Amino acid sequence: MEEIKQADRKSVVMEGMYRGMTGKLDEVRQSVSKELQFTSAQQVSAYEALAGTFKDGLETLLAEFRYLSQQNSAIYDYNCKEREAVRNALLEAVKANAEQTAKAFSEQLAESAKATEEKFAQKLDALREELTENFRAALAEAAPAAEPEAPAETEQAPVEETFDYDVLAEKIASVLPEPDYDMLADKVVAALPPVDADAIAAAVATAVPQTDENAIADKVAESVPLVDYDLIAERVANVLEGEFDVTVDDGGVEKIASAVAERLDYDKLAARVAELLKEQGAVSERVVVREVPVPAPQPEPEPEPAHEELAAAAVPATAKKPVVPPAAPAPKPVVVPVPDDPALTTRFKRSFKAKIIESDEEVKNYYFDLKNAFLSYSRIASQVSWSNDRFTFAGDTIAKIGVRGRTLCLYLALNPDEFPSSVYHQRFAGDTKMYEKTPMMVKVKSGVALKRAIRLVEMLMENLGAVKEDRDPVDYSQEFSFRSEEQLLAEGLIKTAIVEKSDLDF
């Protein structure tokens, strides 16, 4: 009977231990399932985010390429139109000048031919008169021999009436040589003034308007916005920024978890966990038969120090406590007030100098170059306040440099409407009292933007009549070297304030 009771006790203990091991296996299975679900969700979200980011970046690049192609086409069409207009004007001027030259040449040729014809007719009349006089003289000499026959003379007709001048002209024409019209044309051409090709070219040049290539280039530059490659790079960087940051809502997590859970084989997973536990010897060491007064399931034994790693593996991931590394000692302790009221929170207010100190080296170099550009002129003073760096000329505020977020901003005493926005990307900031005297704001986020900002500074100084001096640039890197937040709090460059907690505070 005693043996039967002892066997019953052993069976009860074994059943309790089996149930305990079954519970542990379920916990391990749930922990592994959650880990797999979380890992799968991260991978799927990362893949989707990466695919979306790549698609957005590709679309951005294609849009920029399309924009560049349209710009090049517009410039080519503009140049073609200008060249066509200049060519048409030149042809019209040459045609008009050629017609005037041909008309003048024809008039001169007609006048020369007319003068030559008149001279030839005069010579012919003179020759005819001379022959007539000679003939009359010959008749007069023969007249005395016929004097006795006076009555017959009275009966004859006058000699001039019986003289046939046409026959005489024909005989003279037959005797005279035939005129050489080619020689006559050569003489006419020789008598004409020579054609001055340089004078014609000069007349054409004066008639055709001068083509100013610089003016054309300026018009094209005004009509076509400049390509800001730094702005393109910043947009692509903003799209690609945080491509591995995964953000999935509760519905997405449940959907991914359910999809992963459908593909898990819990039987294989439990068998694999049992094999691993058996290989480590955990089952044989943990299963201990003890005498108990009542046949009830024994509570789970405490994990022994030698099996701390196994106990940690059996605990769910949600029950693990995070390991917090020890904080590094601050160089100078600063007491930050913590409000007792949960509706309040502590906010840090950073000065302009603190923002420059905590910014990147690139932003610091932009600020140093702008400050040296201002201070290279006479009668320019700089005053660093809590919110910005103010520059004055003869006591009047002309510019300010501030930091918004992580971007360096330049405020100038210029009218933003007088400058092309496609070149400088300026904004109007005069609606606030702080920037009433410096309404034009430009952001300096790249080397090209820095060059444009320095160009605006030079134009501002030219308007003010400031004289540029030969000064060496000052190195401010030591003054604005990086320091920790505790050091900035100790120096008073960062202040704390207790304010009401907003909806964005978690």
Side-chain angles (χ1 to χ4, degrees), residues 349-359 363 367 371 382-391 400-404 407-409 480 493-494:
K349 294 183 178 180
R350 288 171 167 78
S351 63
F352 168 75
K353 191 171 183 179
K355 292 179 182 179
I356 294 294
I357 290 172
E358 292 181 337
S359 61
V363 177
Y367 169 61
K371 188 164 186 176
S382 170
Q383 182 180 3
V384 178
S385 62
W386 179 264
S387 58
N388 52 47
D389 188 356
R390 183 169 65 95
F391 296 91
K400 292 181 181 180
I401 298 178
V403 178
R404 295 177 61 182
T407 304
L408 192 70
C409 299
F480 292 91
L493 299 178
I494 296 180

Side-chain angles (χ1 to χ4, degrees), residues 420-439:
S421 59
S422 60
V423 177
Y424 297 100
H425 307 287
Q426 72 273 14
R427 294 183 182 178
F428 179 73
D431 50 355
T432 58
K433 188 175 182 180
M434 181 182 296
Y435 302 110
E436 284 180 350
K437 297 182 179 180
T438 56

Side-chain angles (χ1 to χ4, degrees), residues 187-253:
K187 290 183 179 181
V188 170
V189 171
L192 291 175
V195 178
D196 192 355
D198 296 332
I200 296 175
V204 172
T206 53
V208 176
Q210 246 182 350
T211 304
D212 191 356
E213 297 179 357
N214 295 326
I216 296 175
D218 293 338
K219 290 181 180 179
V220 173
E222 291 176 0
S223 60
V224 179
L226 292 177
V227 180
D228 193 348
Y229 295 98
D230 294 320
L231 181 61
I232 296 173
E234 289 173 5
R235 289 180 181 176
V236 175
N238 292 333
V239 173
L240 296 178
E241 185 178 3
E243 58 179 340
F244 295 103
D245 295 339
V246 181
T247 304
V248 184
D249 56 359
D250 296 337
V253 171

Side-chain angles (χ1 to χ4, degrees), residues 60-248:
T60 303
L61 291 176
L62 290 176
E64 295 297 337
F65 288 146
R66 192 180 301 111
Y67 178 68
L68 290 176
S69 176
Q70 293 176 356
Q71 281 186 331
N72 294 331
S73 299
I75 293 172
Y76 177 76
D77 294 339
Y78 184 81
N79 290 334
C80 288
K81 291 179 180 178
E82 288 293 328
R83 286 197 298 269
E84 187 69 22
V86 170
R87 188 181 66 177
N88 293 334
L90 183 62
L91 289 176
E92 290 178 358
V94 171
K95 184 178 179 181
N97 199 353
E99 290 178 355
Q100 292 178 358
T101 305
K103 185 177 180 181
F105 180 76
S106 300
E107 292 176 354
Q108 291 180 358
L109 185 61
E111 291 177 358
S112 300
K114 186 177 180 181
T116 305
E117 185 179 357
E118 290 177 355
K119 289 180 181 180
F120 184 75
Q122 291 175 1
K123 289 182 180 180
L124 186 61
D125 293 339
L127 182 61
R128 184 171 59 182
E129 290 177 358
E130 184 180 357
L131 291 176
T132 304
E133 291 295 332
N134 293 334
F135 187 73
R136 286 178 179 176
L139 292 177
E141 291 178 356
E147 283 181 2
E149 299 177 1
E153 186 177 358
T154 55
E155 294 178 2
Q156 284 183 345
V159 178
E160 293 182 2
E161 294 179 0
T162 59
F163 186 75
D164 192 354
Y165 293 100
D166 295 331
V167 175
L168 180 62
E170 290 177 0
K171 289 182 179 181
I172 293 172
S174 62
V175 173
L176 291 175
E178 188 177 358
D180 191 353
Y181 295 101
D182 296 330
M183 182 177 64
L184 180 63
D186 293 337
K187 290 183 179 181
V188 170
V189 171
L192 291 175
V195 178
D196 192 355
D198 296 332
I200 296 175
V204 172
T206 53
V208 176
Q210 246 182 350
T211 304
D212 191 356
E213 297 179 357
N214 295 326
I216 296 175
D218 293 338
K219 290 181 180 179
V220 173
E222 291 176 0
S223 60
V224 179
L226 292 177
V227 180
D228 193 348
Y229 295 98
D230 294 320
L231 181 61
I232 296 173
E234 289 173 5
R235 289 180 181 176
V236 175
N238 292 333
V239 173
L240 296 178
E241 185 178 3
E243 58 179 340
F244 295 103
D245 295 339
V246 181
T247 304
V248 184

Side-chain angles (χ1 to χ4, degrees), residues 477-498:
S477 57
Q478 187 66 26
E479 180 182 355
F480 292 91
S481 60
F482 180 78
R483 296 189 284 279
S484 63
E485 193 174 66
E486 290 78 6
Q487 292 175 334
L488 296 176
L489 283 168
E491 294 177 12
L493 299 178
I494 296 180
K495 297 180 181 179
T496 58
I498 298 177

Side-chain angles (χ1 to χ4, degrees), residues 305-480:
H307 307 292
E308 289 179 359
E309 297 180 358
L310 181 62
V315 177
T318 56
K320 293 180 182 180
K321 295 182 179 181
V323 179
V324 181
K332 186 176 181 181
V334 178
V335 178
V336 178
V338 179
D340 298 332
D341 190 354
L344 302 177
T345 184
T346 303
R347 289 284 176 86
F348 293 95
K349 294 183 178 180
R350 288 171 167 78
S351 63
F352 168 75
K353 191 171 183 179
K355 292 179 182 179
I356 294 294
I357 290 172
E358 292 181 337
S359 61
D360 299 335
E361 292 296 328
E362 197 174 32
V363 177
K364 292 181 181 179
N365 292 331
Y366 295 158
Y367 169 61
F368 298 159
D369 291 343
L370 283 175
K371 188 164 186 176
N372 283 316
F374 277 108
L375 297 180
S376 64
Y377 291 87
S378 61
R379 305 175 65 189
I380 300 294
S382 170
Q383 182 180 3
V384 178
S385 62
W386 179 264
S387 58
N388 52 47
D389 188 356
R390 183 169 65 95
F391 296 91
T392 59
F393 175 74
D396 296 332
T397 303
I398 60 171
K400 292 181 181 180
I401 298 178
V403 178
R404 295 177 61 182
R406 295 183 179 180
T407 304
L408 192 70
C409 299
L410 174 63
Y411 301 86
L412 298 168
L414 295 172
N415 186 4
D417 297 333
E418 296 178 356
F419 298 89
S421 59
S422 60
V423 177
Y424 297 100
H425 307 287
Q426 72 273 14
R427 294 183 182 178
F428 179 73
D431 50 355
T432 58
K433 188 175 182 180
M434 181 182 296
Y435 302 110
E436 284 180 350
K437 297 182 179 180
T438 56
M440 182 174 178
M441 188 271 284
V442 292
K443 294 182 179 180
V444 182
K445 298 189 290 185
S446 63
V448 176
L450 176 64
K451 292 180 181 179
R452 294 172 180 168
I454 293 177
R455 191 190 312 163
L456 290 174
V457 171
E458 292 174 354
M459 286 189 282
L460 174 62
M461 294 304 170
E462 184 179 356
N463 295 338
L464 296 174
V467 179
K468 191 174 182 65
E469 297 181 351
D470 189 8
R471 296 181 182 177
D472 296 332
V474 181
D475 187 8
Y476 300 96
S477 57
Q478 187 66 26
E479 180 182 355
F480 292 91

Side-chain angles (χ1 to χ4, degrees), residues 285-328:
E285 294 180 5
R286 294 290 300 279
V287 178
V288 179
V289 179
R290 295 183 180 179
E291 296 289 337
V292 290
V294 291
Q298 295 293 329
E300 297 180 3
E302 294 291 333
E304 299 178 4
H307 307 292
E308 289 179 359
E309 297 180 358
L310 181 62
V315 177
T318 56
K320 293 180 182 180
K321 295 182 179 181
V323 179
V324 181

